[in-house]
Amino acid sequence: MTKVVIFPGATALVAAKLEKLGLTCQADLVLHLPLRFEDETRITPIAEAVPGEAAQFEVTVVSSEIAYRPRRQLVCRTEDDTGTLLLRFLNFYPSQQKVLQPGARLRVFGEPRGGFWGSELIHPRFRVLHGEEPLATALTPVYPTTSGLGQGTLRRLIERALSEVDLGETLPEELVNRFHLEDFAASLRSLHAPQPGLSADELVAAQRPAWQRIAFDELLAQQISLRQSYAARRARGAPVLAGNGTLTHRLLTQLPFKLTGAQQRVWQEIAHDLAEPHPMQRLLQGDVGSGKTVLAALAMLQAVEAGYQAALMAPTEILAEQHYRKLAAWLAPLGLEVVWLSGSQKKKDKAAALEKVGAGGTALVVGTHALIEEGVEFARLGLAIVDEQHRFGVRQRLALKQKGLHSHQLAMSATPIPRTLAMSYYADLDVSVLDELPPGRTAVVTKLVGDKRRDEIVERVRALCREGQQVYWVCPLIEESETLQLKTAEETYAHLRAELPELRIGLVHGRLKTDEKVAVMAAFVRNEIHLLVATTVIEVGVDVPNASLMVIEHAERFGLAQLHQLRGRVGRGAAESACVLLYAQPLSETARARLKIIYENNDGFEIARQDLHLRGPGEFIGARQSGLPLLRFADLEDTLLVDAARAAAEELLTRWPEHAERHLARWLGGRAELLKA
Ligand code: ADP
Ligand code: MG
């Protein structure tokens, strides 16, 4: 359904630009809030100009000429009764030059800076005065815009929208009072057109209640919409996977370890959901090494007990293969076959696998995204598990959703999502957290080492491998070019082989054929390779307990989540483990901040929290891609407000559903339909 886009007073061209800003109807305009204000309500005498503080001046042009040093520019000398002010234009039209004639009177707005000749303005906004012109009576808002859409046009349309759009209260009085909310319409007026004459600090203070109200409303709309989709899902049916405990019990007794307390708790949560008549949609979060795989296996067995099929999908061949091996080893003693399905599989093998899956005789399937491709038909899929779900793209997640519309779903992730973010973006999921590591793990010691000391590290690798330990060497990440990255990996491999001729060294990267990758990994697992040179293909899931050192070259190029994942590959056995982050100088400020965080923290949740702080929620979860509207105003670090909005959403939906609908319509506008799709 395409909605007719109507903006009274806007041409089709302007309407198109507005749409680019995410504005789809006139009502959206009132929620398009200013970035800042310019004060054109008063004139500042030149003598009182403060460098760095934007101000308006009223001046007379004294001279105007084109200078050629340091580059071509129009330099206009102006004055008022108190001093002189230089205007510089690096790009200018002949028409501008023409109006800036000696004697012309101007109102100029800009940020003064101290130049060699006194105060000057670079590229100021100016207007030629003809006679007496009144000053602005309100502050001038500056709105986020896009190229080709002027501030003047935006201001005019928004002003009009403010007087034409219904700004009535969407919330019942009881909630407005309980949460101490500012009136909605008054909040908008204060945000678009605050009272003039306030200092910057006073303005912030004056607008605080209004911002608070808008942030609350935005969070509330998000909570309502997520709760609705949660309810819609629960209204769908799913097979009841009650299970009788026979298989799960046998797996548990046969494992070489006991479940941790956290694993037991989460297992109860999952087992309970599977036995419900509507689809489970659960996110299992657990730091690297917290033991998620065994929970996946247990869940799959419960599905099998109930006579259904279960699938486990992993984002890389290496990880999928590893799951396949682990599951096959665990389940063979139980007399169960596990089917392997991957994109690079031989045609004949794949056809055989597909047939088994389609016939329904085989209950357990493990693979890559080949699992959700067209042509894969499950006879009786009861449970779909996605490991490292954040690594899959939107398209794949959607495909899986469609395939398993009426099956239970479990997503697992080792990239912890801070609590507020989870509550806000994943409020339509149930979340389980594994907040305990299996016993006997030693914390990984992290070292930051400048790359000038690379030789020392190479010696350390030599010594460790002589003692029978194993080492990962992670090659620099080159995001712009996969080819370059490959070349670098091969060079690193060649270097290390020359430096450490007595060691057996392997190389694994994304371009290797699957069986080659698998062969290298298998050799590493069997301890036939001492040193594994690798790209980030080993980032997720790889589990080789005997590896006790990881060296990451050019660590400054990696993201925090990536570094934490990589570091999680060591410290899985009894030996004391270390992670060496080699970095090259000079470090950018954010790179330095990242390295400091990873150096100081071992807890994935804390790292994620700081990462969120560093990057903001949009980049953090890639929400733009996920199709969920980004929060524009609310700050997810404001836990109190998120909590309040969550409580209010629940109450609104049960006690005042029609208010909830109105509120949603205001905030999501045309997007409300999109989200329900
Ligand atoms: P992740 O959560 O990162 O996927 P894994 O499932 O790969 O973690 O588990 C990491 C390692 O810990 C594996 O070798 C696994 O067999 C082992 N493990 C899992 N649970 C326990 C436990 N309760 N006690 C001891 N070891 C465990
Ligand atoms: Mg895992």
Side-chain angles (χ1 to χ4, degrees):
M1 187 189 74
T2 43
K3 224 174 69 166
V4 186
V5 180
I6 311 171
F7 291 103
T11 62
L13 190 70
V14 167
K17 298 276 180 199
L18 291 172
E19 225 183 332
K20 222 171 172 180
L21 292 173
L23 307 170
T24 56
C25 60
Q26 195 186 24
D28 287 349
L29 280 170
V30 300
L31 291 168
H32 193 63
L33 296 175
L35 292 169
R36 59 190 168 86
F37 296 92
E38 291 179 346
D39 188 354
E40 293 175 292
T41 65
R42 56 195 168 141
I43 304 292
T44 303
I46 291 174
E48 288 171 26
V50 179
E53 268 180 34
Q56 178 168 248
F57 305 92
E58 197 164 299
V59 298
T60 308
V61 176
V62 181
S63 70
S64 178
E65 63 200 39
I66 293 175
Y68 290 91
R69 262 184 224 149
R71 52 175 281 198
R72 187 176 128 89
Q73 54 184 281
L74 178 62
V75 180
C76 185
R77 184 183 295 276
T78 70
E79 63 177 18
D80 67 6
D81 295 342
T82 68
T84 63
L85 182 66
L86 225 51
L87 317 182
R88 278 183 202 278
F89 301 89
L90 299 175
N91 299 302
F92 56 94
Y93 299 108
S95 60
Q96 288 175 314
Q97 190 185 353
K98 210 152 151 200
V99 297
L100 292 171
Q101 287 303 318
R105 282 179 56 237
L106 314 173
R107 272 211 191 123
V108 217
F109 191 94
E111 205 174 275
R113 50 172 229 182
F116 187 72
W117 303 105
S119 282
E120 59 179 41
L121 301 181
I122 312 287
H123 268 291
R125 194 146 52 70
F126 73 91
R127 201 150 52 86
V128 179
L129 289 177
H130 307 282
E132 282 308 305
E133 282 188 35
L135 286 165
T137 53
L139 295 179
T140 313
V142 178
Y143 291 103
T145 189
T146 180
S147 83
L149 181 62
Q151 287 294 332
T153 311
L154 255 179
R155 271 180 214 134
R156 186 172 50 76
L157 290 170
I158 289 173
E159 211 164 285
R160 178 162 173 180
L162 279 169
S163 66
E164 290 177 4
V165 169
D166 171 18
L167 302 180
E169 186 57 70
T170 50
L171 303 183
E173 208 180 321
E174 190 182 325
L175 287 189
V176 174
N177 292 336
R178 174 144 27 106
F179 290 105
H180 305 291
L181 299 175
E182 186 86 346
D183 177 69
F184 178 74
S187 297
L188 281 187
R189 293 211 182 84
S190 146
L191 293 175
H192 283 286
Q195 157 198 4
L198 301 177
S199 71
D201 287 345
E202 286 166 345
L203 181 62
V204 168
Q207 287 190 329
R208 190 168 294 131
W211 276 121
Q212 189 82 351
R213 168 70 205 248
I214 297 301
F216 179 87
D217 276 20
E218 180 177 49
L219 286 168
L220 180 64
Q222 188 191 42
Q223 290 292 329
I224 293 172
S225 120
L226 288 168
R227 263 155 200 278
Q228 283 181 339
S229 65
Y230 182 87
R233 176 164 50 77
R234 283 183 78 94
R236 287 204 306 265
V240 173
L241 306 179
N244 51 20
T246 45
L247 294 172
T248 51
H249 185 74
R250 279 175 65 198
L251 175 61
L252 285 173
T253 49
Q254 171 209 301
L255 284 174
F257 52 76
K258 266 187 63 194
L259 293 189
T260 62
Q263 281 171 319
Q264 277 171 26
R265 192 192 67 235
V266 171
W267 168 228
Q268 290 312 314
E269 290 168 356
I270 295 171
H272 169 267
D273 278 9
L274 291 174
E276 295 274 306
H278 45 76
M280 164 169 82
Q281 194 137 308
R282 190 169 277 281
L283 174 67
L284 167 54
Q285 290 194 46
D287 211 342
V288 277
S290 59
K292 297 183 287 294
T293 318
V294 66
L295 293 174
L298 285 167
M300 291 173 88
L301 288 181
Q302 180 159 327
V304 176
E305 284 170 10
Y308 282 84
Q309 293 174 304
L312 171 59
M313 179 166 94
T316 66
E317 297 252 355
I318 288 183
L319 183 54
E321 163 82 19
Q322 190 177 284
H323 282 335
Y324 170 70
R325 279 170 193 271
K326 192 162 236 170
L327 255 67
W330 277 342
L331 304 185
L334 276 55
L336 293 170
E337 186 197 9
V338 181
V339 166
W340 168 247
L341 202 59
S342 97
S344 61
Q345 210 166 7
K346 288 202 196 84
K347 266 218 165 82
K348 190 171 60 117
D349 297 344
K350 191 165 185 178
L354 285 180
E355 203 182 306
K356 284 183 183 172
V357 172
T362 301
L364 296 141
V365 188
V366 176
T368 59
H369 58 264
L371 276 179
I372 48 167
E373 265 154 27
E374 254 174 79
V376 184
E377 295 294 339
F378 289 89
R380 282 166 73 74
L381 185 64
L383 167 68
I385 304 180
V386 187
D387 194 16
E388 308 293 347
Q389 61 100 26
H390 57 284
R391 300 287 302 249
F392 286 99
V394 186
R395 208 180 52 79
Q396 291 156 331
R397 280 188 233 178
L398 267 178
L400 181 74
K401 213 170 178 175
Q402 262 137 30
K403 255 209 168 68
L405 204 54
H406 296 282
S407 64
H408 298 273
Q409 293 202 20
L410 177 66
M412 307 199 289
S413 174
T415 298
I417 299 151
R419 186 175 147 284
T420 44
L421 197 59
M423 266 167 41
S424 136
Y425 283 96
Y426 295 129
D428 59 339
L429 298 180
D430 294 302
V431 180
S432 292
V433 181
L434 278 182
D435 49 8
E436 181 186 353
L437 292 180
R441 299 276 167 81
T442 44
V444 178
V445 178
T446 303
K447 298 197 169 142
L448 289 174
V449 178
D451 60 4
K452 293 200 183 75
R453 290 169 52 202
R454 186 178 177 282
D455 290 349
E456 283 172 42
I457 303 302
V458 171
E459 284 318 308
R460 175 117 179 259
V461 170
R462 193 192 314 271
L464 268 179
C465 289
R466 274 205 191 129
E467 288 169 21
Q469 311 225 345
Q470 290 174 279
V471 177
Y472 294 101
W473 190 290
V474 180
C475 302
L477 177 72
I478 301 171
E479 282 196 328
E480 312 81 59
S481 154
E482 210 193 325
T483 325
L484 254 179
Q485 168 141 336
L486 183 63
K487 188 165 158 264
T488 316
E490 274 162 353
E491 278 169 15
T492 308
Y493 175 63
H495 264 135
L496 286 167
R497 274 175 49 127
E499 286 166 305
L500 300 162
E502 74 273 38
L503 298 187
R504 281 194 300 277
I505 306 181
L507 171 65
V508 60
H509 55 70
R511 287 283 183 83
L512 287 183
K513 293 214 188 73
T514 306
D515 44 352
E516 295 171 327
K517 257 187 263 180
V518 168
V520 177
M521 288 311 296
F524 192 58
V525 170
R526 289 194 303 266
N527 200 354
E528 290 164 13
I529 288 176
H530 299 121
L531 173 60
L532 183 64
V533 179
T535 58
T536 48
V537 293
I538 58 148
E539 182 186 331
V540 291
V542 172
D543 185 29
V544 181
N546 194 47
S548 63
L549 174 66
M550 166 162 291
V551 182
I552 304 178
E553 261 192 284
H554 279 291
E556 76 279 1
R557 294 190 195 162
F558 292 82
L560 269 175
Q562 246 176 342
L563 288 173
H564 182 62
Q565 287 279 326
L566 283 168
R567 182 172 60 182
R569 302 303 116 218
V570 292
R572 298 182 155 239
E576 209 164 284
S577 300
C579 177
V580 172
L581 304 175
L582 284 174
Y583 64 90
Q585 296 276 23
L587 285 175
S588 75
E589 210 158 298
T590 41
R592 184 183 302 275
R594 278 202 302 266
L595 291 179
K596 182 165 183 288
I597 292 170
I598 200 79
Y599 175 71
E600 288 176 351
N601 295 281
N602 260 314
D603 174 1
F605 279 90
E606 182 55 24
I607 292 170
R609 205 185 59 72
Q610 301 206 25
D611 201 13
L612 171 67
H613 186 70
L614 212 60
R615 293 196 289 164
E619 266 191 73
F620 187 90
I621 72 167
R624 230 175 274 276
Q625 296 179 21
S626 77
L628 280 174
L630 270 182
L631 292 172
R632 287 176 288 167
F633 310 117
D635 178 358
L636 283 175
E637 287 181 57
D638 189 346
T639 325
L640 283 179
L641 201 64
V642 177
D643 280 333
R646 193 171 150 93
E650 194 161 324
E651 199 171 339
L652 210 57
L653 280 168
T654 44
R655 291 180 59 195
W656 299 284
E658 67 293 351
H659 284 76
E661 283 304 327
R662 264 186 72 198
H663 189 79
L664 210 53
R666 166 173 290 164
W667 277 88
L668 298 181
R671 284 172 299 174
E673 291 302 317
L674 251 169
L675 277 177
K676 283 186 188 146

